[in-house]
Amino acid sequence: MTLITGPIGALAIFIVSNIWGVMYPFPGQFSLVFLLSIGSAGVPWLVSKICSDKFHLDGELSNLTLSSLFAISLGYAVLNSLVTQSIIYLAGQSQDLWSGVGVMFLGDVTGILLIISLAKWIANLRKSKLRL
């Protein structure tokens, strides 16, 4: 989301993370939710910023290649897992940092692959309908 929307997307992630975090997984733990929300918004923005500069991506992402998308996705999955699970571990909400990182990394990678596959499927479906 932040690759496309930039800081506005990061702000939206921050706001939604705060609301969701206080309501469901960590009710009453405002400081923990605040830190997690900073990580949830900051990691994708940071990865987007670094990778946009590194791969010289334009605003419309028209020069986004499969290899740069893979690097961005992998960078996000690694950094997001480390930051989120470190905050949870340091807050005493988890006893095993590395298991949490592993599970979250697999979940992030799986989710990214599903979204990319779905986007590719929709693009192919639209192309085939345009040919008819």
Side-chain angles (χ1 to χ4, degrees):
M1 183 164 148
T2 57
L3 188 60
I4 297 168
T5 60
I8 298 296
L11 180 61
I13 292 170
F14 176 77
I15 291 168
V16 171
S17 294
N18 270 298
I19 294 168
W20 179 79
V22 171
M23 289 175 54
Y24 178 65
F26 305 109
Q29 297 182 14
F30 298 106
S31 59
L32 174 60
V33 170
F34 183 75
L35 287 174
L36 287 168
S37 297
I38 290 172
S40 294
V43 167
W45 179 81
L46 181 64
V47 170
S48 295
K49 182 72 176 136
I50 290 170
C51 291
S52 291
D53 293 345
K54 179 177 173 36
F55 296 117
H56 307 290
L57 298 176
D58 58 23
E60 293 86 36
L61 303 177
S62 59
N63 60 339
L64 182 67
T65 64
L66 190 57
S67 63
S68 60
L69 181 60
F70 178 75
I72 292 167
S73 300
L74 195 59
Y76 167 77
V78 168
L79 193 57
N80 186 53
S81 302
L82 283 171
V83 168
T84 301
Q85 290 301 315
S86 294
I87 292 169
I88 291 171
Y89 178 77
L90 292 172
Q93 299 294 319
S94 171
Q95 281 65 44
D96 189 358
L97 172 64
W98 297 111
S99 289
V101 168
V103 168
M104 191 166 181
F105 173 79
L106 287 174
D108 284 346
V109 169
T110 302
I112 290 166
L113 290 174
L114 285 171
I115 295 297
I116 291 171
S117 298
L118 181 63
K120 185 175 179 178
W121 179 77
I122 290 171
N124 288 338
L125 184 66
R126 290 188 68 192
K127 282 182 187 176
S128 67
K129 286 194 177 196
L130 289 175
R131 290 184 201 153
L132 298 175

